[in-house]
Amino acid sequence: MVFPGLPGASHLHSFVGNDSTNASTTPADLTRLTASSCKPLEDHSAYWVPTLLENGRPVEPQQFVVYYGSLLKDPSQTVPMPQGLRMIAGDAKKQVATPKGAVNQFYCAGGPQDGRTRSADGNWPVCEGGTLHFTLRFPDCWDGRHLDSPNHRDHVSFGQGGACPATHPVPIPALTFSIAYPAGGTDAGFALSSGLASSMHGDAFFAWDGEAMAARVKNCVVQVAQCNTAGQF
């Protein structure tokens, strides 16, 4: 997304979703080539994050859940995710410390959330008896016109005070990545292919079967109902 048509120009990423995704992928490609690691199969989208590294070796997620929902006070006007929409959440260039208690940090599932101890640099929890997790939320309001923008951010915005701002008036499903890694950590900590833990970010390139997405928005998102992968209560 950041370096279209330039394979290898970016740092290493871990991909889920559409199996055809590469540096030259277009919305038409995602719609035409539908083999995917995602369920339901009606979701032809591509999702990716920088690869987690432990001692320089990639640690691929053991579970990668993509949630669609709403965090607005009135979700009734939420529209299906526009076909071909692209966006990025997080900042690959953010290289700051993430000590215990930092906002949007990696955390432990099992045992204390901040870890029983921290890595030597303080940026990573050591999950004794648990595993490393990360939750990443994407903007949920759209300008209604552009499927992308030069920085892959300006065409979308987070809701403010439970509603979409005037600059981005169209509510879209709130996308959340919930990622679990098969690692607990050590004193040496981890790294991301993009740098420090603070550089965690995610990319999303949307392509759904239109009827399947519309039904899920109508039956699940608008009604604030907890649906399963098949879009059923």
Side-chain angles (χ1 to χ4, degrees):
M1 191 180 298
V2 176
F3 298 103
L6 298 173
S10 183
H11 46 260
L12 186 65
H13 287 90
S14 297
F15 286 79
V16 297
N18 198 301
D19 294 343
S20 70
T21 310
N22 59 42
S24 301
T25 295
T26 67
D29 294 330
L30 296 180
T31 301
R32 179 172 54 90
L33 304 169
T34 59
S36 177
S37 61
C38 282
K39 296 179 181 179
L41 295 179
E42 294 94 340
D43 182 5
H44 312 312
S45 308
Y47 313 101
W48 60 97
V49 294
T51 300
L52 182 73
L53 305 172
E54 185 169 27
N55 297 319
R57 295 189 295 271
V59 179
E60 296 296 340
Q62 66 180 6
Q63 185 181 58
F64 197 125
V65 182
V66 180
Y67 292 102
Y68 286 76
S70 178
L71 298 173
L72 302 178
K73 291 180 179 178
D74 177 13
S76 65
Q77 301 304 307
T78 303
V79 303
M81 199 68 81
Q83 294 283 42
L85 182 74
R86 314 180 202 201
M87 59 177 163
I88 293 177
D91 186 356
K93 296 181 180 180
K94 187 177 182 180
Q95 305 289 336
V96 299
T98 50
K100 179 179 179 180
V103 177
N104 296 330
Q105 66 167 308
F106 284 81
Y107 65 94
C108 298
Q113 182 170 308
D114 288 322
R116 296 189 184 280
T117 59
R118 303 288 289 182
S119 59
D121 63 8
N123 293 326
W124 301 88
V126 179
C127 306
E128 298 174 6
T131 54
L132 192 70
H133 284 239
F134 195 87
T135 299
L136 180 66
R137 181 190 160 209
F138 284 74
D140 52 354
C141 298
W142 176 45
D143 68 8
R145 295 178 296 145
H146 303 100
L147 295 177
D148 202 357
S149 52
N151 63 1
H152 314 293
R153 303 172 190 274
D154 288 347
H155 60 304
V156 289
S157 175
F158 287 100
Q160 301 172 8
C164 286
T167 54
H168 298 79
V170 182
I172 55 176
L175 187 78
T176 301
F177 288 174
S178 178
I179 310 168
Y181 295 93
T186 64
D187 184 66
F190 299 93
L192 292 173
S193 58
S194 53
L196 296 180
S198 57
S199 69
M200 184 61 168
H201 59 284
D203 299 54
F205 192 169
F206 299 97
W208 272 78
D209 173 89
E211 291 185 2
M213 166 58 75
R216 283 165 172 79
V217 171
K218 177 182 177 181
N219 299 332
C220 306
V221 177
V222 168
Q223 298 186 54
V224 196
Q226 186 172 348
C227 294
N228 59 20
T229 300
Q232 301 169 343
F233 299 111

